[in-house]
Amino acid sequence: MNNKKDLILVLDFGSQYTQLIARRIRELRVYSLIEPCTVSTDKIKKIAPKGIILSGGPNSVYEKNAPMPDREILNLNTPILGICYGMQAITHLFKGGIKHTSTREYGRAEMYIDNHHDLFFTLPEKITSWMSHGDTITRLPEGAKKLSHTQQTPYAAFSIPKKKIYGVQFHPEVAHTEYGLQIISNFVFRICGCFPSWQVKNFIQETIAKIRRQAGKDRVICGLSGGIDSSVTALLIHKAIGKNLTCIFVNNGLLRKNEPRQVRKIFKEHFRINLKYVNAAKDFLSKLKGITDPEQKRKIIGYEFIRIFENEAKKIKNVKFLGQGTLYPDVIESVPFFDGPTAKIKSHHNVGGLPKKMKLKLIEPLRELFKDEVREIGKELGLPEKILYRHPFPGPGLAVRILGEIDREKLALIKEVDAKIEKIIKKHGLYKNIWQAFAVLLPLKSVGVMGDKRTYEYVAAVRAVNSLDGMTADWTKLPYKVLEELSSEIINKTQGVNRVVFDISSKPPATIEWE
Ligand code: XMP
């Protein structure tokens, strides 16, 4: 069966929720794609979606350069759902009225359903919806019917039945909207008539066959970090071409306690993957000596990684391909429109995209996937829980968690503290509910007293955050009991740390990592 037979196209007008819309559709087992709102109608015709969703966005339709969909898409006879700004853009194009209000409707709003026919089929009379808008529709577009309202918004949803066009002022894609997934499902299945054909199992089979065709008898190399993306990439390529894949695992000395051993054990012994292990800890540490600036640390680590990876890769003969764990968000974020004004805050170093000089062709089996789908595939391929659910870890590793200069003593300390945090969080059954929990070693010592002796030792910070995608994060409200245990376990059992602090900053304005 064709996995992507029916697809929904999401046009991005700059909303922070665009990817979430696309993910929700995939949850319904229908393939979804994201394109910038400037995409041409010709391209849309080639994609041949069964439905189109116009995302929200930060603009107001009356602004000078407000983005608008190509008018022609309104005549494609393809159902369209406009969300928030998308709804206002439709209203504008169909000559409805929009007013800029001084009071923004933001957050939860009780919404009353006026029409249960298709978009709101099976919904109760009243639901909680999530709103985030300044502009409000005051007059329906030509040929439109009202579908719902709130106290502040007379037209919270409408449809133009003749054209199969729908608009909703609220965000059905966010979890705060009750029945949000049901609304999206009504659009995808009832209105667009999609068939749920997107299945991870089919994806695996198709992808393995594709890699086999692509690689032929040539050799492929792949950087393995032990993270979920590179692990799943390696497993898929390995399933396709077996011994013709060589993975290179560079131990930079900045990994978590026991991580190098675990990764080798899993991939070499369990999956029998051709794995080249390079212990380059010394090289990295010597290059980092005396370096305190976070950006410089990141650059040095990135550069050193390429050098070592290339060096090792050269020793393998007949390599024509490089396997990379690029995900769909990386692909769409590299298109200029999607980049938007997001400033570069930290230069992220990933294994992906590095050895450009090597002139290798790329194999990127995860290019179409979101993180949760990669996890699903990993599970299907037998990847152990340890890797599947391991908290995200930055490319530059512990180097950005030891503030200031790095040395062996600090590395040994942070590994111990970090392992203790993981152990205690797991013991309390909190690990899977937390996005990341880890240790940060501060570049300062403080006075303490142990037994009858004065101590002068390092301060460690515990960082724990909840997040959906790492873009924003809340600090985790760990119970006092857990904090108490963390503090006493770390201080009593790590020689060299006599004080523990807990980080209560959210992102923004802080970031998750300290450097
Ligand atoms: P920040 O600190 O920017 O982190 O709030 C957001 C998420 O990204 C991870 N992170 C990185 N991941 N290479 C990576 O692969 C990096 O250089 C890097 N820096 C931060 C961080 O752990 C968090 O999950």
Side-chain angles (χ1 to χ4, degrees):
M1 184 179 25
N2 184 352
N3 216 0
K4 302 169 192 163
K5 189 169 80 59
D6 291 346
L7 79 87
I8 299 284
L9 178 65
V10 181
L11 295 190
D12 180 31
F13 286 83
S15 165
Q16 55 173 327
Y17 299 132
T18 301
Q19 290 187 24
L20 194 55
I21 304 172
R23 271 171 52 194
R24 290 279 180 258
I25 298 164
R26 299 231 188 144
E27 274 171 40
L28 296 169
R29 302 277 163 229
V30 172
Y31 191 63
S32 60
L33 271 182
I34 302 179
E35 287 287 337
C37 60
T38 47
V39 67
S40 70
T41 305
D42 276 348
K43 183 157 182 200
I44 297 183
K45 281 185 189 156
K46 275 195 201 115
I47 295 172
K50 281 247 168 172
I52 299 173
I53 296 185
L54 313 182
S55 82
N59 296 81
S60 171
V61 287
Y62 292 120
E63 275 168 20
K64 209 165 143 215
N65 292 321
M68 278 289 146
D70 187 348
R71 258 180 187 279
E72 265 188 74
I73 70 162
L74 307 172
N75 299 320
L76 287 178
N77 208 19
T78 306
I80 296 178
L81 170 66
I83 296 177
C84 198
Y85 178 81
M87 176 203 213
Q88 292 164 6
I90 293 171
T91 308
H92 190 59
L93 292 176
F94 280 95
K95 307 209 172 4
I98 300 166
K99 195 177 80 188
H100 186 69
T101 49
S102 52
T103 46
R104 236 176 113 75
E105 191 178 18
Y106 184 82
R108 289 183 175 80
E110 294 294 311
M111 187 173 77
Y112 300 87
I113 312 283
D114 302 304
N115 182 321
H116 280 87
H117 273 103
D118 35 21
L119 196 60
F120 297 145
F121 190 67
T122 72
L123 259 62
E125 295 301 311
K126 190 177 88 176
I127 65 166
T128 300
S129 64
W130 182 260
M131 294 280 185
S132 168
H133 63 114
D135 291 0
T136 296
I137 291 165
T138 49
R139 191 181 66 248
L140 283 177
E142 284 164 11
K145 279 195 319 203
K146 169 161 119 170
L147 299 184
S148 71
H149 68 277
T150 69
Q151 242 178 3
Q152 270 197 55
T153 308
Y155 307 112
F158 65 62
S159 69
I160 309 176
K162 255 197 181 157
K163 296 211 162 256
K164 288 200 198 146
I165 291 180
Y166 296 78
V168 292
Q169 185 56 76
F170 60 95
H171 289 274
E173 69 276 21
V174 308
H176 306 297
T177 294
E178 284 179 328
Y179 301 94
L181 197 59
Q182 180 62 44
I183 297 168
I184 296 174
S185 150
N186 285 341
F187 177 70
V188 169
F189 298 118
R190 286 186 71 79
I191 297 169
C192 302
C194 288
F195 182 81
S197 51
W198 171 246
Q199 275 191 29
V200 152
K201 267 196 190 136
N202 299 344
F203 174 88
I204 295 176
Q205 294 317 322
E206 277 176 17
T207 306
I208 291 172
K210 196 167 139 195
I211 297 171
R212 221 171 259 151
R213 279 197 305 274
Q214 212 180 338
K217 294 208 164 12
D218 290 323
R219 296 194 77 89
V220 180
I221 50 164
C222 185
L224 189 71
S225 69
I228 176 142
D229 306 342
S230 68
S231 300
V232 173
T233 303
L235 286 186
L236 282 170
I237 302 177
H238 183 248
K239 283 234 175 235
I241 59 165
K243 288 272 169 266
N244 274 352
L245 167 74
T246 304
C247 289
I248 301 175
F249 176 41
V250 180
N251 177 2
N252 58 12
L254 306 163
L255 302 170
R256 288 168 283 199
K257 190 180 174 186
N258 293 334
E259 204 160 19
R261 209 178 57 211
Q262 268 173 18
V263 174
R264 283 163 79 189
K265 200 170 153 70
I266 290 168
F267 286 91
K268 235 183 150 95
E269 292 174 21
H270 185 61
F271 288 110
R272 301 195 176 281
I273 282 184
N274 225 339
L275 181 70
K276 211 161 179 195
Y277 172 75
V278 191
N279 189 350
K282 258 195 193 153
D283 302 66
F284 280 87
L285 281 187
S286 75
K287 291 271 161 32
L288 288 167
K289 199 166 170 13
I291 307 294
T292 53
D293 177 64
E295 277 301 285
Q296 221 182 333
K297 280 186 191 173
R298 283 171 179 269
K299 290 216 171 86
I300 289 172
I301 293 165
Y303 180 80
E304 195 58 13
F305 179 85
I306 303 174
R307 194 185 66 77
I308 292 168
F309 189 88
E310 281 185 350
N311 215 6
E312 289 306 317
K314 266 191 233 147
K315 296 181 194 160
I316 308 166
K317 294 213 171 70
N318 293 328
V319 177
K320 294 270 162 53
F321 292 92
L322 172 72
Q324 273 192 175
T326 317
L327 301 192
Y328 195 43
D330 307 328
V331 175
I332 47 188
E333 276 154 22
S334 66
V335 177
F337 180 82
F338 295 120
D339 257 357
T342 336
K344 181 166 143 187
I345 297 176
K346 298 174 188 177
S347 52
H348 278 206
H349 147 65
N350 284 320
V351 173
L354 291 181
K356 285 204 184 83
K357 274 196 302 192
M358 294 169 66
K359 297 204 178 81
L360 295 174
K361 285 184 256 170
L362 293 180
I363 292 184
E364 297 177 301
L366 313 180
R367 263 182 88 82
E368 302 173 343
L369 302 182
F370 289 109
K371 192 86 172 186
D372 7 3
E373 294 172 315
V374 175
R375 195 164 279 136
E376 217 179 316
I377 290 173
K379 204 168 172 183
E380 195 70 34
L381 294 174
L383 206 58
E385 293 233 331
K386 252 195 203 110
I387 290 191
L388 278 177
Y389 297 104
R390 187 121 215 212
H391 287 172
F393 190 63
L398 299 175
V400 290
R401 294 179 178 175
I402 295 172
L403 306 197
E405 191 177 350
I406 299 157
D407 62 34
R408 282 184 188 279
E409 182 207 3
K410 289 180 188 163
L411 261 171
L413 270 183
I414 196 171
K415 282 185 193 175
E416 282 312 314
V417 177
D418 196 67
K420 289 186 171 73
I421 295 174
E422 185 175 322
K423 189 179 103 188
I424 291 168
I425 297 282
K426 278 186 173 158
K427 183 180 136 194
H428 289 272
L430 297 169
Y431 192 78
K432 278 193 186 171
N433 300 329
I434 294 176
W435 170 263
Q436 269 172 301
F438 57 87
V440 180
L441 195 69
L442 307 195
L444 52 97
K445 290 185 173 181
S446 77
V447 174
V449 54
M450 252 185 194
D452 285 330
K453 274 206 189 114
R454 175 189 185 275
T455 59
Y456 187 57
E457 293 176 344
Y458 281 109
V459 182
V462 175
R463 178 76 163 140
V465 295
N466 284 54
S467 171
L468 270 180
D469 50 14
M471 303 293 283
T472 58
D474 255 343
W475 61 276
T476 306
K477 310 321 178 261
L478 288 177
Y480 281 154
K481 203 174 69 179
V482 177
L483 288 174
E484 191 178 6
E485 201 174 324
L486 281 168
S487 147
S488 69
E489 174 89 9
I490 294 170
I491 296 175
N492 293 336
K493 298 198 183 152
T494 331
Q495 225 189 6
V497 172
N498 67 357
R499 191 177 297 270
V500 170
V501 296
F502 183 50
D503 182 353
I504 52 168
S505 339
S506 288
K507 173 183 179 178
T511 50
I512 297 177
E513 304 292 344
W514 279 40
E515 282 195 340

